[in-house]
Amino acid sequence: MTIYRLPANTPRSFYRGEGRIGRFRGIRPADDPYFPEDWIASTTSRHGAAPAGLTTLPDGRSLAEAIAGDPLWWLGERHVAEHGADPAILVKLLDAGERLPLHVHPDRRFAAAHLASPYGKTEAWVIVSAEPGAAVHLGFARDVEPGELAGWVADQRIDQMLGATNRVPVRAGDAIVCPAGVPHAIGAGVLMVEVQEPTDFSVLLEWKGFDIDGPAAGHLGLGYEQALACVDRSGWGAEQLGELSRARGSAADARPGVHRLFPELADEFFAAERLRPDPVSVLEPAYSVVVITAGDGSVECEHGEPVQVGAGDTLLVPYAAGRCTLRGDVTAVRCKPA
């Protein structure tokens, strides 16, 4: 097998989904709503709850074990020279059945200093579907003083804290980068492909009303006095916010049927492309995750059998597949490490 079609991988969470992942993938939604994420091709475990979150391949091996056994086959020589046997990326489907709590992810500098990790958690969102009026909260709209933020968090003054953020409407097809450190909350009614650095580091600014003990579990074991130091408290204006979704042209755009999704600030972390065959989408050899978001088609690869694909499929493509071609009346999102 060269291209892997992956089943759903849904660790339990503390917020509710609305069954969108099951409907998108053509499987029966779980009766329990607290499985709102599908961790695709994951070598990252849920923070403090390993092995939850890790992907198991159809042959029974964990993806992490498989890559460790033959990293060049999976990742390619250039990637292994830079990252070793680490894919350096995590991709998810995320179904917001309710507004997620306001939270923040540490950057690489903070993670190296306090969490013994080379990765923080810059992430980005590709909106698959959104109900009318759906939005995300992204960054503070004004500068916030350290004591003000600490007071909001300690007393759970949700209205004040959320009121100080930027509310950004979203619709299907939007692509937005959320840099590490920026406080954010995904609003209800959204299904997205989320691509991120391969960690599960989150500092909760809000937990009231959610099925989690924020004072105990919301600060990565650091205590809130230290954890809140990772928060970007600066005000983000309209121009700065616009830069988070303004993809510029690149060499990738010169290939018919392949369109860059994220601005340059994402380049050191990951990349994503929207694939719409015109008449085909030609993909260079690369370890990648492909999510089929609409239609039906096929993927042909240089080394391996062609794979028929349809909306809701999630594919893991190793470097060894070689050059691949997507054909058909189909739309997909392809995510790759930097």
Side-chain angles (χ1 to χ4, degrees), residues 56 115 144 179 187 193 216-217 219 278 302 311 331:
T56 300
L115 299 166
V144 173
V193 175
H219 47 72
D278 182 26
E302 195 175 354
T331 303

Side-chain angles (χ1 to χ4, degrees), residues 153-154 156 204 206-208 212-224:
V153 172
Q156 286 295 276
L204 294 182
E206 174 190 1
W207 59 81
K208 187 177 180 181
I212 190 167
D213 184 347
H219 47 72
L220 298 171
L222 301 175
Y224 269 105

Side-chain angles (χ1 to χ4, degrees), residues 12-235:
R12 186 178 178 85
S13 192
F14 64 88
Y15 70 92
R16 298 190 306 272
E18 205 275 321
R20 293 182 186 87
I21 291 175
R23 293 192 292 274
F24 174 70
R25 292 180 60 90
I27 58 178
R28 183 177 181 273
D31 294 330
D32 185 338
Y34 288 93
F35 294 90
E37 299 177 0
D38 181 356
W39 294 31
I40 305 168
S42 172
T43 60
T44 302
S45 59
R46 175 72 81 187
H47 182 70
L54 296 176
T55 288
T56 300
L57 296 174
D59 63 11
R61 293 178 298 167
S62 74
L63 176 59
E65 292 171 339
I67 293 175
D70 196 351
L72 291 176
W73 189 90
W74 283 96
L75 303 172
E77 186 175 359
R78 183 189 68 82
H79 183 102
V80 171
E82 185 171 350
H83 301 288
D86 186 343
I89 190 174
L90 175 61
V91 180
K92 301 177 184 176
L93 291 172
L94 187 152
D95 167 23
E98 61 182 325
R99 180 182 62 77
L100 274 63
L102 194 67
H103 63 289
V104 69
H105 308 302
D107 64 14
R108 290 180 175 181
R109 179 182 298 181
F110 187 95
H114 302 290
L115 299 166
S117 172
Y119 301 111
K121 196 181 170 188
T122 287
E123 65 186 34
W125 313 317
V126 182
I127 309 301
V128 176
S129 65
E131 294 180 358
V136 297
H137 294 266
L138 186 58
F140 289 126
R142 60 171 177 82
D143 293 349
V144 173
E145 293 299 319
E148 184 178 25
L149 176 60
W152 287 343
V153 172
D155 298 334
Q156 286 295 276
R157 299 179 208 157
I158 309 305
D159 289 345
Q160 293 178 42
M161 186 159 44
L162 208 63
T165 65
N166 296 290
R167 184 181 184 277
V168 180
V170 294
R171 60 184 181 179
D174 287 350
I176 304 169
V177 177
C178 179
V182 175
H184 58 282
I186 296 160
V190 173
L191 175 67
M192 65 169 63
V193 175
E194 183 179 64
V195 55
Q196 60 188 69
E197 294 183 81
T199 73
D200 189 39
F201 297 149
S202 293
V203 174
L204 294 182
L205 307 182
E206 174 190 1
W207 59 81
K208 187 177 180 181
F210 291 91
D211 186 23
I212 190 167
D213 184 347
H219 47 72
L220 298 171
L222 301 175
Y224 269 105
E225 183 175 358
Q226 186 171 76
L228 291 180
C230 79
V231 180
D232 181 350
R233 294 176 289 96
S234 62

